[in-house]
Amino acid sequence: NYENLFRNKTGLFIDPYFSATKIKWILDNIKKAKNLSNKNLLLFGTIDSFLIWNFTEGKIHATDATNASRTMLFNLKKNKWDDHILKILKIKKNILPVVKNSADNFGFTSKKILGKKIPISAVLGDQQAAAVGQVCFEKGSVKTTYGTGAFVIMNTGKSILYSKNKLITTICYRINNKSTYALEGSIFIAGAGVQWLIDKIKLINNAYETEKIAGLKKTNSGVYLVPAFTGLGAPYWNTNSRGLITGLSRNSDWKDLVRAVLESVAYQTFDLFDSMRKDGLRPKIVKVDGGMVKNNWFSQFLANIINVKTERPKVLETTALGVALFAGYQIGVFKSLDQIKRTWKKDKIFKPKLSNIVRNKLLNGWKLSVKKTLL
């Protein structure tokens, strides 16, 4: 209820999840918002700008280029808010946050909060931060993160590359006023599928059980699960799709379903890498992180399906690590990206071990299953 959000004493509102379409709708439909905007008492910002505003007691209204690049209002080439789009949508530029480098001076936290002032020295979007945590600084380097959802980011260097196969073009990071770009693919359901097994289907008690259960089966017995619980992400972008299970027989059991959930994440990852391949990009190695890759069975199966060597780092929570590394760069702990790169430590490598015949058979079964959800 946006009306309630504008009933405040200061006449100031920051929307922590803003996008171009949301701002347009609010300004067109909420009279209070329009009046505040006319009085220059209205601000919009992403969640990071919302936090910075509060940490600095309203002194700083800023974001970084990675977050700005996902609002549909930012010009990736010019690295600034897009005047043309703002004009079309009738959005005033002064309600938007200042866009800074990913490693930059974002002000100081109020002394009231932590007892002393602390510099805010880095801001990054979720997946871009993970890419930094995985030190994906070279063009062509790739990381894929497995949390509730899953996200693949490939560093495409200083040039903007627009996918012809439904991947997202974004800013990977910006330092020293120079942007590095990336292609990103999003999977809506990854770890959330395992959570579904725990909370809703109640087949397992915790995520750690899946590794042993999946390993008990020599094959998937032809059982596939397409976890389109909230639709399908890249490269399908179909919000109307819904989940389904295919290939069940009298011999199927609950263990097949557990394995099918894990397999589905690897198959969805293959779809993203297949889009990259069609765009002419062929990574030789992929760095993986997030809670799911603790599962050795899943990590090996992933390498088998995408047919690319995968590397798991010792630090799996790379999102927090990435923004911390850039904060260190900003305050001088690190003098260069090369120095940051040397902090990365490998835990384990997973090499593809599946024959092309078996891999193609598994993928064909997946493609047939997905096709049924798109009808």
Side-chain angles (χ1 to χ4, degrees):
N1 188 338
Y2 285 112
E3 285 285 3
N4 290 332
L5 292 175
F6 286 92
R7 292 170 186 163
N8 55 68
K9 296 179 181 179
T10 62
L12 176 66
F13 173 67
I14 298 180
D15 180 354
Y17 304 104
F18 92 97
S19 66
T21 51
K22 185 182 285 187
I23 295 177
K24 174 65 175 171
W25 188 91
I26 289 173
L27 292 176
D28 287 348
N29 293 278
I30 307 297
K31 186 176 180 180
K32 175 74 170 177
K34 191 170 186 177
N35 290 337
L36 289 172
S37 179
N38 290 335
K39 296 176 183 178
N40 293 323
L41 291 172
L42 181 71
L43 298 177
F44 281 86
T46 48
I47 188 64
D48 55 295
S49 62
F50 176 77
L51 292 170
I52 293 168
W53 175 268
N54 283 279
F55 281 140
T56 63
E57 294 190 309
K59 294 179 181 178
I60 304 293
H61 183 41
T63 186
D64 91 303
T66 65
N67 284 287
S69 71
R70 307 310 291 272
T71 64
M72 299 185 289
L73 291 173
F74 196 71
N75 189 309
L76 297 184
K77 290 182 179 179
K78 296 181 180 180
N79 275 289
K80 66 178 185 177
W81 298 117
D82 194 292
D83 292 325
H84 181 63
I85 296 176
L86 293 177
K87 184 177 180 180
I88 291 174
L89 298 178
K90 297 179 181 179
I91 297 173
K92 293 181 178 180
K93 190 185 296 186
N94 64 359
I95 71 175
L96 302 176
V98 173
V99 181
K100 292 176 170 284
N101 293 313
S102 302
D104 213 323
N105 176 16
F106 291 87
F108 291 81
T109 61
S110 169
K111 190 175 181 180
K112 296 178 182 178
I113 298 174
L114 296 171
K116 62 179 180 179
K117 292 183 177 181
I118 297 176
I120 304 171
S121 302
V123 172
L124 283 153
D126 185 14
Q127 297 310 313
Q128 292 94 332
V132 171
Q134 289 276 43
V135 296
C136 292
F137 298 140
E138 289 81 24
K139 181 178 179 180
S141 55
V142 183
K143 74 86 197 173
T144 178
T145 299
Y146 297 94
T148 302
F151 304 86
V152 175
I153 278 189
M154 171 181 276
N155 183 323
T156 59
K158 303 302 179 184
S159 301
I160 299 175
L161 177 63
Y162 294 106
S163 173
K164 296 181 180 178
N165 296 280
K166 300 183 179 180
L167 300 176
I168 297 170
T169 301
T170 188
I171 293 177
C172 191
Y173 54 84
R174 190 173 86 185
I175 55 174
N176 303 321
N177 297 318
K178 294 181 179 179
S179 290
T180 295
Y181 298 93
L183 283 183
E184 179 178 337
S186 306
I187 296 170
F188 294 162
I189 301 294
V194 176
Q195 203 63 45
W196 174 74
L197 292 173
I198 299 169
D199 296 337
K200 299 298 183 180
I201 309 301
K202 300 187 184 302
L203 292 180
I204 56 176
N205 295 314
N206 58 68
Y208 298 104
E209 296 177 17
T210 60
E211 182 172 352
K212 181 179 179 180
I213 293 168
L216 293 174
K217 295 280 185 175
K218 292 184 178 180
T219 70
N220 68 358
S221 303
V223 177
Y224 292 86
L225 181 140
V226 182
F229 304 145
T230 56
L232 287 173
Y236 305 102
W237 296 119
N238 191 317
T239 56
N240 295 319
S241 293
R242 285 298 175 264
L244 86 161
I245 302 167
T246 64
L248 293 176
S249 69
R250 287 192 64 183
N251 291 323
S252 302
D253 61 23
W254 66 277
K255 297 183 185 72
D256 290 309
L257 186 57
V258 172
R259 175 165 171 153
V261 167
L262 294 183
E263 286 194 359
S264 72
V265 182
Y267 297 139
Q268 290 176 94
T269 306
F270 171 86
D271 290 338
L272 300 182
F273 279 91
D274 193 43
S275 290
M276 288 186 179
R277 180 186 61 79
K278 292 174 181 176
D279 283 329
L281 305 170
R282 295 179 180 272
K284 296 180 180 179
I285 191 166
V286 177
K287 292 179 176 178
V288 297
D289 57 81
M292 279 196 75
V293 300
K294 294 178 183 177
N295 184 321
N296 289 311
W297 186 92
F298 168 74
S299 295
Q300 183 58 59
F301 186 78
L302 174 67
N304 290 344
I305 291 300
I306 65 175
N307 200 26
V308 179
K309 182 170 67 173
T310 65
E311 286 187 343
R312 184 173 65 193
K314 288 188 175 182
V315 178
L316 295 181
E317 301 303 326
T318 55
T319 297
L321 175 62
V323 77
L325 290 172
F326 262 20
Y329 177 83
Q330 173 64 19
I331 64 175
V333 174
F334 303 107
K335 304 300 182 183
S336 66
L337 295 187
D338 284 339
Q339 193 175 358
I340 292 177
K341 189 175 179 180
R342 290 194 289 271
T343 66
W344 189 89
K345 303 297 181 183
K346 177 177 62 183
D347 175 46
K348 191 171 182 178
I349 292 178
F350 298 89
K351 298 179 180 179
K353 297 180 180 179
L354 212 58
S355 70
N356 289 333
I357 293 175
V358 175
R359 180 184 302 107
N360 290 336
K361 182 180 178 180
L362 289 171
L363 289 170
N364 286 336
W366 167 253
K367 291 172 184 177
L368 288 172
S369 298
V370 170
K371 189 175 181 180
K372 294 175 182 178
T373 73
L374 300 176
L375 297 178

